[in-house]
């Protein structure tokens, strides 16, 4: 059963309290953590509920769902985040629909994304997906002492996009605490890249099961779905 409006509002209060607690533990301002509601398979009505409860960032894994939500909810004043795999074949559609793209990796998709955005007069905030495990589409960091990843060089040279940070999905671990080393590695990589590109500030890391640990290690964006909307329909 999907969560009711009352349940979703209670979930938001609980998540915001957990964000504050995690930030307090490490002396951070909780206002520096953006809650991205990961709305994969979520119908329009619950998305409206979370926005009316104060959430201003909505994330989708599939561009067709992103566009469907925008068409169903044209009055919402939100930032639309694309958090699924970015592919060359659909990058132009993502460029038309998203405000923030978390999953830039391959050169072809990056060029198509930036080219389409530039031709449309848009500038998208983008993050490089870093895959530390070798199982996904992100860029593995080079060995220290590293030069900036080639993707960072590419993105800063492209029109239509603005490189803002890094994103990762850690491997599945038995406990949230065991995901901590992956978050530390992303933060350290971000800090090295900032020596060349000082505007690379964002760390998109942490989901429903481990976002508090991610915040303790510097996350500026947490992508939360199940803990917010309840179990997915599919």
């Amino acid at each position: 059963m999907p969560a009711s409006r009352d349940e979703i509002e209670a979930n938001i209060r609980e998540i915001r309290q957990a964000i504050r607690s995690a930030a307090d533990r490490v002396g951070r301002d909780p206002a520096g953590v953006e809650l991205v509601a990961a709305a994969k398979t979520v119908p329009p009505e619950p998305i409206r509920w979370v926005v009316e409860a104060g959430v201003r960032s909505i994330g989708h894994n599939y561009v067709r769902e992103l566009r469907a939500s925008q068409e169903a909810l044209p009055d919402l004043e939100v930032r639309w985040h694309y958090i699924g795999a970015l592919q060359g074949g659909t990058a132009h559609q993502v460029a038309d629909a998203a405000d923030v793209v978390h999953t830039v990796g391959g050169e072809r998709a990056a060029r198509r994304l930036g080219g389409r955005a530039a031709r449309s007069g848009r500038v998208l905030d983008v993050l490089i997906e870093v895959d530390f495990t070798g199982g996904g589409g992100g860029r593995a960091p080079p060995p220290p002492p590293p030069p900036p990843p080639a993707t960072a060089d590419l993105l800063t040279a492209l029109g239509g996009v603005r490189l803002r940070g890094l994103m990762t999905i850690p491997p599945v671990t038995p406990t949230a605490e065991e995901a901590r080393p992956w978050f530390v590695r992303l933060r350290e990589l971000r800090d090295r890249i900032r020596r060349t590109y000082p505007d690379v500030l964002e760390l998109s890391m942490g989901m429903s099961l481990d976002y508090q640990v991610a915040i303790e290690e510097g996350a500026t964006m947490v992508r939360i779905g199940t803990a917010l909307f309840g179990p997915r329909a599919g």
Side-chain angles (χ1 to χ4, degrees), residues 34 56-60 66 70 76-83 93-102 113 117 122-127 160-162 164 221:
E34 181 177 1
R56 290 291 177 266
S57 296
I58 305 298
H60 274 293
L66 171 56
Q70 291 175 326
L76 293 191
E77 296 183 3
V78 300
R79 293 181 88 202
W80 296 99
H81 294 240
Y82 184 75
I83 58 177
Q93 297 178 38
V94 174
D96 290 342
D99 301 304
V100 186
V101 180
H102 291 232
L113 183 78
R122 308 190 71 211
V123 179
L124 310 178
D125 286 341
V126 300
L127 291 80
V161 295
R162 176 172 48 229
R164 297 294 294 146
M221 297 177 177

Side-chain angles (χ1 to χ4, degrees), residues 4 11 14 49 54 62 69 84 92-93 103 122 136 156 176-177 188 196 198 215 233-234:
S4 67
N11 291 343
E14 182 176 341
W49 295 340
Y62 303 111
S69 291
H92 62 294
Q93 297 178 38
T103 51
R122 308 190 71 211
T156 54
E177 181 60 33
E188 291 175 345
T196 303
I215 291 167

Side-chain angles (χ1 to χ4, degrees), residues 144-148 187-201:
R187 170 170 47 80
E188 291 175 345
L189 179 60
R190 187 275 314 269
D191 291 346
R192 292 198 293 271
I193 292 174
R194 283 185 64 191
R195 297 172 192 168
T196 303
Y197 302 113
D199 291 335
V200 176
L201 303 173

Side-chain angles (χ1 to χ4, degrees), residues 147-228:
T151 306
D153 295 335
L154 169 66
L155 290 172
T156 54
L158 286 178
V161 295
R162 176 172 48 229
L163 178 59
R164 297 294 294 146
L166 306 179
M167 173 270 205
T168 199
I169 301 173
V172 177
T173 57
T175 67
E177 181 60 33
E178 289 172 86
R180 188 181 298 272
W182 309 102
F183 300 144
V184 171
R185 289 183 68 185
L186 194 73
R187 170 170 47 80
E188 291 175 345
L189 179 60
R190 187 275 314 269
D191 291 346
R192 292 198 293 271
I193 292 174
R194 283 185 64 191
R195 297 172 192 168
T196 303
Y197 302 113
D199 291 335
V200 176
L201 303 173
E202 305 289 356
L203 289 173
S204 173
M205 58 189 195
M207 296 185 286
S208 291
L209 296 178
D210 55 20
Y211 68 93
Q212 294 184 63
V213 173
I215 291 167
E216 291 173 358
E217 294 302 337
T220 64
M221 297 177 177
V222 291
R223 311 176 306 274
I224 301 181
T226 301
L228 177 54

